[in-house]
Amino acid sequence: SHCQNKIGVFGIGSIIEEIILAINQSSIKFSSYAITKIDKNIAEKLLPIIKSYEKIITIEAHYINGGIGSIIAEIIATITANY
């Protein structure tokens, strides 16, 4: 669920589970999303979710280019360009 928390954590790969466990041990309130597949419609799917957060954190392992961080950065750039 994403309405009550101000931080959205998006991740891809096995590392997301480790990070979520670590964050759960802290007092940080967040909502997490494990991305299992990057397809051509991912921006459309993520746009309304991303808009509902004040802060976004991306987590991934071994994806320098074209990973979830790059995709979310492009979505956020589109959102800010349209304001």
Side-chain angles (χ1 to χ4, degrees):
S1 70
H2 62 283
C3 294
Q4 295 178 353
N5 298 321
K6 295 179 180 182
I7 301 171
V9 178
F10 294 79
I12 190 166
S14 60
I15 194 167
I16 184 78
E17 293 174 23
E18 295 175 44
I19 301 299
I20 289 172
L21 287 172
I23 295 173
N24 276 334
Q25 294 175 2
S26 73
S27 61
I28 299 170
K29 295 193 185 314
F30 68 98
S31 298
S32 63
Y33 299 86
I35 308 298
T36 57
K37 178 179 155 186
I38 297 176
D39 62 26
K40 63 181 180 177
N41 298 321
I42 194 162
E44 288 177 23
K45 295 173 186 173
L46 293 179
L47 179 63
I49 298 169
I50 290 170
K51 282 181 158 182
S52 68
Y53 292 103
E54 290 180 15
K55 298 179 191 239
I56 301 291
I57 298 170
T58 61
I59 303 165
E60 54 197 313
H62 309 295
Y63 296 96
I64 295 173
N65 297 316
I68 195 68
S70 299
I71 292 168
I72 289 179
E74 288 179 25
I75 294 169
I76 291 170
T78 302
I79 293 169
T80 56
N82 289 330
Y83 280 115

